[in-house]
Amino acid sequence: MFEELFSLWSNPTFQNILFSTTILGAGTGALGCFIFLRKESLLGDTMSHSALPGVVLAFLLTLQRDMLWLALGAFVFSLAGALIINYVIRRTRVDQDAAQAIILSSFFALGVQLLSWVQNNVTANKAGLTHYLFGQAGALTHSDLILIIVVMSLIGVVLILFWNRWVLISFDSLFGKSIGIKTWLWESLLMGIVVLSIVIGISVVGVVLMSALLVAPSAASRQWVQTPKGMILLAAVFGGISGFLGTTISLAQPQIPTGPSIVVTLSFFSLLSLLLSPQRGILARWMLERTFQNSFAQQRMLRNMGRLGELHHDLFVKHKKTTLLTMDDQTQGPHQALEALRLRGLVTRTKENFYALTQKGVDTLKQGNKNGQP
Amino acid sequence: MLDKAVEIEDLTVAYLGHPALWDVDASIPRGSLSCILGPNGAGKSTLLKAALGLLKISAGRIRLLGQSIQAALPLCSYVPQRSGVDWDFPITVLEVARMGTYGRLGLVRRPGKKETSEAMEALERLQILELANRPIGELSGGQQQRCFLARALVQNAELYFLDEPFQGIDAHSERVIVEMLKDLRSKGKTIVVVHHDLQTVKEYFDYAILLNVRLIDQGPTSQVVTFENLKITYGGTLPFLRENNHV
């Protein structure tokens, strides 16, 4: 198994693909954090879908599958999609999500229409155009790798250099404006580099799955860290690893396409983060809630036993379990509460299966009455 | 008090053809602790944002500290409404306070030791220094507001604009903030606060602007915060105040 993997990783053609997807994943993962934090995740999706008609039109105009022209078409249409959304939000009462949904589907539909028209009516050079739907990492060449490295480094430098600005426009844009920062300029620049990363990315994973590369790493990373810097680093790591692993899987099993393989790997990390992260994870929250409920149930049980005891003028009187269980009007685990109290030594169980408060239990109860809780 | 920190002339602001402010003439004396009063939708926040050039105005002229908005902006500090930001944003209290230095740091410089110690000092003045390294998501409403005010302090401005700083915060936070504002006033700074709580107006502020899309009245609180004026400003919703002798 390891030998197979090793020979896979040392194959120069495969290395091109592996490096490309890893760097792409890391770069888009880092960049995506700002989209995620600005709550514009759907914007990435809209922009990547909007690129499709641009790609096909660029092909129709040149009748060649020249990477540069196709990228230019994608760039223009992505940007157009984003600008139209901005215009619609500002000038009408249509909300951001509705505007994005409308633009996304209309641009994408137009793209698919153009694409099928090309399939049926153009004969020359059209092969591979459909790969822009789901991407084709297998076709990545060494020059593609260089392009990806250059663009992603550029994005990285811009992110690091103007760090303050990105944090400002993501956290509190209004405050940014009030200290004289041209927020529209920085928002446009951010949009510009997002479009740039989309244009590069869609040839690898396709317009349909591109937004996952931008959003999934930040969603996963947000679960674990509490600072923007940490979040971006971890998102880059998630994105990079997913690119690498996803590509490895699809190289080892050629019938599995690369783009979806990367996205599935990413989803795996996201899901894991949503479930397992120590503070925000579903599991941690569930356990915290259980602990609370448990301790409340124990407090209720102790109090009920005390009240019953007062009625009998004997705090140490033995109670039937069914009595105690029916006294608790809440459904949250009176049975477990009783067991927990027994393990804590506040309650004892007799041979006949009766329950009674111990000295420690009575003390705790009295102490609790003084402090307001047992 | 003749010197004006804020001068607003014939200001009209409209959203999608609907006027939020209509032909407002108002001014704020330099060195005062002033408030803008009015019911919901009266255009209080809009007036604040317009004064700082944060939104497009339909008509009017605004001068801050005797200069144009653009020129005066480095001397101004704006504390937006707390509800305007995402408090689940992954950032610490200290980092938010340090944002107060971004204006003078320029394009690419990061806050260094000097900026950090300034931010720490501000946090201490607002009694949240021990929360410096906490994520802002863990703060209570009052602590969030104090965090925002620490950022404003760090800006070291001449003219402060605060949008509803007392909205939904605890009594202790309110005391700390009022103390800080009075301290700023004693240093000759001018503070403008969008305020909601009529009970505390006279206690906290020395100058008031009463607003309901149009300007109702302005002047020293003791003169303009009268039952008659409030009735015009708020409509017929105020009888309880007269009964309780708050006005």
Side-chain angles (χ1 to χ4, degrees):
Chain A
M1 162 110 185
F2 280 109
E3 271 168 41
E4 277 172 44
L5 274 182
F6 193 72
S7 74
L8 212 111
W9 286 335
S10 49
N11 177 323
T13 318
F14 287 178
Q15 273 176 354
N16 260 337
I17 304 172
L18 277 165
F19 284 138
S20 299
T21 53
T22 307
I23 294 166
L24 181 73
T28 51
L31 178 60
C33 286
F34 287 112
I35 305 182
F36 177 83
L37 289 172
R38 284 170 55 81
K39 306 201 181 303
E40 286 178 338
S41 300
L42 199 56
L43 190 64
D45 211 15
T46 310
M47 290 197 289
S48 59
H49 278 77
S50 305
L52 189 63
V55 171
V56 186
L57 275 180
F59 170 76
L60 274 175
L61 285 176
T62 58
L63 284 179
Q64 270 172 2
R65 224 161 52 76
D66 181 350
M67 176 76 186
L68 203 65
W69 284 107
L70 298 189
L72 193 67
F75 191 89
V76 169
F77 271 71
S78 283
L79 213 55
L83 291 177
I84 292 175
I85 288 171
N86 255 345
Y87 184 80
V88 169
I89 296 168
R90 270 170 203 232
R91 294 288 154 174
T92 70
R93 289 183 181 270
V94 176
D95 283 337
Q96 181 162 353
D97 57 343
Q100 286 171 342
I102 297 165
I103 304 298
L104 183 153
S105 38
S106 35
F107 269 71
F108 186 60
L110 179 68
V112 173
Q113 259 184 340
L114 285 171
L115 196 58
S116 18
W117 190 85
V118 167
Q119 293 299 316
N120 294 322
N121 295 293
V122 181
T123 40
N125 295 324
K126 69 185 177 190
L129 214 50
T130 49
H131 285 307
Y132 276 91
L133 276 176
F134 292 106
Q136 193 195 28
L140 285 169
T141 60
H142 190 68
S143 61
D144 290 331
L145 172 63
I146 302 290
L147 183 69
I148 288 176
I149 292 177
V150 169
V151 171
M152 290 299 141
S153 324
L154 196 72
I155 291 176
V157 168
V158 171
L159 283 187
I160 294 168
L161 205 58
F162 305 121
W163 179 257
N164 291 352
R165 297 293 182 268
W166 308 127
V167 173
L168 257 185
I169 63 163
S170 307
F171 174 61
D172 195 349
S173 186
L174 205 54
F175 173 77
K177 236 175 163 176
S178 83
I179 59 173
I181 286 169
K182 292 184 178 57
T183 48
W184 63 269
L185 186 77
W186 294 100
E187 278 160 8
S188 311
L189 184 57
L190 183 65
M191 205 174 266
I193 53 180
V194 168
V195 171
L196 196 61
S197 78
I198 287 174
V199 168
I200 298 295
I202 53 173
S203 57
V204 183
V205 293
V207 297
V208 179
L209 297 175
M210 182 57 214
S211 71
L213 244 59
L214 284 164
V215 177
S218 39
S221 147
R222 178 67 189 97
Q223 291 291 108
W224 304 93
V225 288
Q226 305 282 0
T227 62
K229 211 178 284 174
M231 191 177 154
I232 281 185
L233 286 177
L234 191 60
V237 170
F238 277 142
I241 292 180
S242 301
F244 186 82
L245 286 182
T247 309
T248 306
I249 292 168
S250 105
L251 288 178
Q253 296 290 327
Q255 65 273 34
I256 300 176
T258 314
S261 176
I262 294 173
V263 174
V264 167
T265 317
L266 259 179
S267 314
F268 173 75
F269 280 121
S270 305
L271 211 61
L272 220 60
S273 305
L274 289 176
L275 271 177
L276 298 180
S277 81
Q279 274 163 18
R280 309 166 68 91
I282 292 170
L283 197 69
R285 297 211 160 166
W286 179 75
M287 273 164 49
L288 193 68
E289 182 140 326
R290 250 187 79 103
T291 317
F292 269 127
Q293 283 179 354
N294 226 319
S295 92
F296 286 142
Q298 287 181 38
Q299 287 175 25
R300 281 199 307 274
M301 180 60 69
L302 212 57
R303 204 182 51 211
N304 285 342
M305 290 177 83
R307 280 186 190 154
L308 270 183
E310 278 168 13
L311 286 178
H312 287 94
H313 303 291
D314 175 12
L315 283 176
F316 298 95
V317 69
K318 297 172 195 161
H319 311 281
K320 262 193 202 162
K321 186 173 181 182
T322 46
T323 317
L324 292 175
L325 293 189
T326 45
M327 265 192 90
D328 197 324
D329 52 354
Q330 307 284 318
T331 45
Q332 305 284 3
H335 179 82
Q336 287 93 321
L338 207 53
E339 279 312 299
L341 286 171
R342 197 169 67 81
L343 287 174
R344 284 170 65 195
L346 305 182
V347 164
T348 153
R349 186 171 66 195
T350 65
K351 275 180 212 147
E352 310 85 42
N353 236 357
F354 283 90
Y355 287 80
L357 287 173
T358 61
Q359 184 61 48
K360 195 175 161 197
V362 172
D363 291 344
T364 310
L365 189 61
K366 283 180 179 161
Q367 191 65 36
N369 283 341
K370 227 184 281 168
N371 300 338
Q373 60 163 39
Chain B
M1 292 276 271
L2 284 172
D3 202 2
K4 305 277 185 238
V6 181
E7 294 159 277
I8 295 167
E9 273 178 74
D10 307 331
L11 177 65
T12 295
V13 178
Y15 290 118
L16 300 169
H18 185 82
L21 288 173
W22 189 258
D23 202 18
V24 172
D25 284 289
S27 60
I28 305 263
R30 217 182 257 250
S32 71
L33 179 43
S34 300
C35 66
I36 303 173
L37 289 176
N40 287 331
K44 304 186 294 291
S45 300
T46 307
L47 184 64
L48 222 57
K49 286 179 194 162
L52 281 158
L54 300 181
L55 46 78
K56 230 174 105 184
I57 63 174
S58 312
R61 284 171 301 281
I62 296 157
R63 289 182 76 75
L64 303 176
L65 303 166
Q67 314 170 53
S68 71
I69 297 176
Q70 210 53 43
L73 219 47
L75 298 171
C76 295
S77 164
Y78 170 59
V79 180
Q81 273 183 33
R82 201 154 49 82
S83 54
V85 307
D86 169 20
W87 288 94
D88 196 34
F89 196 90
I91 194 168
T92 64
V93 174
L94 178 64
E95 280 174 284
V96 173
R98 271 200 308 222
M99 278 183 187
T101 64
Y102 283 10
R104 63 189 109 111
L105 277 180
L107 201 52
V108 293
R109 249 181 75 206
R110 306 277 177 87
K113 259 188 194 153
K114 182 168 162 276
E115 285 75 19
T116 302
S117 74
E118 280 173 34
M120 299 284 255
E121 221 171 276
L123 291 176
E124 187 164 21
R125 267 181 75 184
L126 285 148
Q127 303 180 18
I128 44 171
L129 184 59
E130 71 279 6
L131 302 174
N133 292 314
R134 295 269 192 88
I136 55 168
E138 291 177 14
L139 302 184
S140 73
Q143 291 165 340
Q144 289 175 353
Q145 192 65 58
R146 283 189 270 160
C147 176
F148 260 16
L149 280 163
R151 181 175 73 183
L153 269 189
V154 170
Q155 285 182 271
N156 200 10
E158 285 302 314
L159 180 53
Y160 290 82
F161 293 93
L162 286 72
D163 201 345
E164 305 240 6
F166 302 118
Q167 178 83 353
I169 68 171
D170 57 287
H172 175 65
S173 294
E174 182 156 341
R175 268 198 307 280
V176 173
I177 292 171
V178 169
E179 229 162 80
M180 176 200 128
L181 297 182
K182 289 184 171 171
D183 186 41
L184 285 175
R185 180 181 53 185
S186 72
K187 287 176 180 147
K189 318 271 184 185
T190 309
I191 306 116
V192 186
V193 179
V194 169
H195 195 55
H196 236 121
D197 183 12
L198 292 174
Q199 325 257 353
T200 52
V201 171
K202 285 183 176 170
E203 184 189 336
Y204 293 170
F205 302 101
D206 44 34
Y207 195 91
I209 290 177
L210 276 71
L211 193 70
N212 194 346
V213 184
R214 296 158 189 272
L215 177 76
I216 308 294
D217 204 353
Q218 58 174 335
T221 32
S222 52
Q223 287 169 30
V224 298
V225 183
T226 62
F227 184 72
E228 288 314 311
N229 264 342
L230 290 177
K231 207 165 134 188
I232 303 170
T233 313
Y234 284 83
T237 54
L238 287 167
F240 69 95
L241 277 169
R242 170 168 274 176
E243 281 163 29
N244 297 339
N245 285 323
H246 282 298
V247 175

